Amino acid sequence: MRTDEYDIVIAGGGMIGISLALALAPLGQRIAVVEAIERSAPLQPSFDDRSTALSRSSQRTFEALGLWPAIRAASTAIRHIHVSDRGRFGFSHIDAAEQNVEALGYVVINRVLGTVLNDALLAADNVDVICPARISRVQTTERSVTVSADSNDDVRQLQCRLLVAADGANSGVREMLGIGAQHVDYGQHAVIGNLQPGQPHNNIAYERFTNDGPIAILPTADDRVTFVWTLQPERADNVLSLSDEEFTEQLQQAFGFRLGRFSKMGKRARYPLSLSKANSLVVGRGVLVGNAAHGLHPVAAQGFNLGLRDVASLADCIADALADGAGDPGDATVLERYAEWRRADQKKLVHFTDGLVRLFGSRRRSLRLLRDVGMLGFDLVPGVRRLFARHTMGLAGELPRLSRGVPLK
């Protein structure tokens, strides 16, 4: 059996895996991306009609990769964020002008973002895309990693110096590397879709906490909005069985009339929500990025942005090693630096999103009072809003070059 040699093999060709390949491509490494599901397949979850909220640091990363003009043309700016708790007196808001930025973030449909990323990938002559193919075996030695990529009745052997698991929260490659993970099932499902508000969205993103769960409403193109409605599984079953008109009325009652009366409901879908956290980011010549390292609740819309900072940090570490003449992207010192760099950011976001779910999901009177006080204090205590905004924009802490908008080469 023939063995193809690469410097880096990336398991997973979703948005994070492709972004990593594009970040590393200018460094002259020979890269393979192995993806199990074809880009155009209905089951491809990375490029569906869901929307992603891109943080400021994600915007800067795509600027550094030369992709931002194409993404920006299909994106909608978030200039205000409004947070409220249904039936309670506290609310909070963040304003882009107050933070001296053009936008707090941008909303883009995954399908559109995926098209931009895939077009750029096709133009990268040092990146091979092996798809559809699934990694079925991983063998590691001190100097290399060999993987078996199964495609229909064909099996290819790929040898590399670094294997990156970017294949999602249920990462098979993570398991093959021997890295365990902690999983928390929230017992919730996200019901997603898009609709027409009765009033212009004015580039405001809403996070509305209800007894059923949070409702996020994000501004999108053509003055429509997308929604993520978190519900108990039985409640999700119930609302998905309703007609468009009945579903719209239920969502309207839960959210209120800040955007006028809802209409023109688009296609609806659902997916289960959980928290996952890998026990380690690195083992041997294997490393984890994105949801393979950490899968978050969508309550704060931070999952993709956290994964893209993984990408930027790993690319930074590899670029520095190559510039120093080490020439080995899988060297232990490179991967240890990456793991140390990412630990604090990942831990912070995991605790933050999990804490929000538990705080606003509780019906205990003491916690409801704490929520009211917290949201009032958020607006009244000097400096709190600015610090929170910097974290949500992905600008807190030591940022890698790509997250600052600086190309690696």
Side-chain angles (χ1 to χ4, degrees):
M1 182 183 299
R2 190 186 73 180
T3 299
D4 296 321
E5 294 189 2
Y6 293 92
D7 295 300
I8 301 168
V9 171
I10 300 170
M15 293 193 294
I16 289 296
I18 293 178
S19 296
L20 179 59
L22 294 174
L24 295 172
L27 303 180
Q29 299 287 283
R30 190 173 181 218
I31 303 164
V33 177
V34 182
E35 168 56 36
I37 304 175
E38 289 190 43
R39 161 79 171 87
S40 59
L43 294 177
Q44 175 52 268
S46 294
F47 308 116
D48 56 19
D49 286 331
R50 283 180 286 179
S51 295
T52 293
L54 302 177
S55 69
R56 184 76 169 167
S57 66
S58 294
Q59 173 192 344
R60 289 177 173 178
T61 297
F62 288 130
E63 285 175 348
L65 297 178
L67 304 176
W68 183 244
I71 296 172
R72 176 66 183 93
S75 300
T76 303
I78 297 174
R79 297 198 169 92
H80 315 273
I81 297 175
H82 184 282
V83 183
S84 61
D85 192 357
R86 188 172 186 268
R88 313 297 293 178
F89 60 80
F91 73 92
S92 302
H93 71 278
I94 304 174
D95 183 82
E98 184 183 67
Q99 304 303 322
N100 296 314
V101 294
E102 173 195 306
L104 298 166
Y106 290 84
V107 181
V108 61
I109 296 173
N110 291 0
R111 171 173 37 79
V112 176
L113 178 57
T115 297
V116 174
L117 294 175
N118 273 283
D119 287 348
L121 193 66
L122 292 174
D125 56 14
N126 59 327
V127 180
D128 292 340
V129 179
I130 303 171
C131 177
R134 188 181 301 275
I135 292 178
S136 60
R137 188 180 182 191
V138 174
Q139 295 175 288
T140 61
T141 68
E142 185 179 339
R143 295 183 177 276
S144 67
V145 182
T146 302
V147 303
S148 299
D150 296 6
S151 178
N152 298 323
D153 295 328
D154 183 43
V155 179
R156 294 179 60 178
Q157 298 277 38
L158 313 176
Q159 188 178 73
C160 60
R161 293 183 292 174
L162 175 63
L163 173 61
V164 183
D167 53 340
N170 298 314
S171 170
V173 171
R174 180 184 64 210
E175 291 185 7
M176 293 177 207
L177 288 169
I179 300 177
Q182 304 167 45
H183 298 273
V184 176
D185 184 352
Y186 285 120
Q188 298 175 328
H189 283 205
V191 177
I192 62 172
N194 64 85
L195 52 80
Q196 183 76 45
Q199 300 172 7
H201 56 58
N202 293 324
N203 299 97
I204 303 174
Y206 293 90
E207 188 78 46
R208 175 83 157 148
F209 292 95
T210 75
N211 287 337
D212 284 331
I215 302 172
I217 293 192
L218 304 175
T220 55
D222 301 321
D223 225 6
R224 290 179 69 82
V225 297
T226 65
F227 63 84
V228 181
W229 191 6
T230 302
L231 297 166
Q232 299 294 315
E234 299 79 8
R235 177 88 166 105
D237 288 339
N238 176 262
V239 299
L240 284 173
S241 69
L242 300 175
S243 67
D244 284 352
E245 292 75 17
E246 291 169 328
F247 179 92
T248 301
E249 183 59 31
Q250 295 262 347
L251 180 61
Q252 186 88 68
Q253 291 177 11
F255 177 76
F257 289 86
R258 286 185 177 86
L259 285 169
R261 184 163 292 281
F262 296 153
S263 64
K264 299 179 182 178
M265 178 67 60
K267 182 181 177 182
R268 292 171 267 158
R270 71 188 289 178
Y271 59 97
L273 301 178
S274 63
L275 168 69
S276 64
K277 183 179 181 298
N279 296 333
S280 173
L281 294 180
V282 171
V283 61
R285 289 180 171 272
V287 64
L288 311 183
V289 298
N291 285 347
H294 42 73
L296 305 181
H297 192 288
V299 63
Q302 290 297 312
F304 176 76
N305 300 303
L306 182 63
L308 203 59
R309 292 199 294 277
D310 292 347
V311 165
S313 299
L314 180 58
D316 210 306
C317 293
I318 292 173
D320 284 348
L322 296 176
D324 290 341
D328 185 353
D331 184 79
T333 58
V334 176
L335 302 188
E336 286 166 8
R337 181 188 171 211
Y338 163 77
E340 180 62 29
W341 197 350
R342 295 306 299 140
R343 193 167 288 121
D345 191 19
Q346 293 178 0
K347 183 177 181 181
K348 173 189 69 183
L349 263 297
V350 166
H351 285 302
F352 173 63
T353 55
D354 187 56
L356 280 180
V357 172
R358 297 184 187 282
L359 176 63
F360 285 91
S362 174
R363 300 191 179 187
R364 290 169 53 190
R365 185 173 183 273
S366 61
L367 289 182
R368 286 189 170 191
L369 290 173
L370 178 63
R371 294 186 329 229
D372 291 341
V373 172
M375 283 203 280
L376 286 173
F378 181 89
D379 274 355
L380 296 176
V381 177
V384 171
R385 189 159 55 197
R386 177 170 175 75
L387 179 62
F388 180 82
R390 288 192 63 78
H391 281 286
T392 58
M393 289 190 289
L395 301 180
E398 181 188 359
L399 295 177
R401 279 167 285 186
L402 291 177
S403 296
R404 291 183 275 118
V406 179
L408 294 180
K409 209 165 184 178

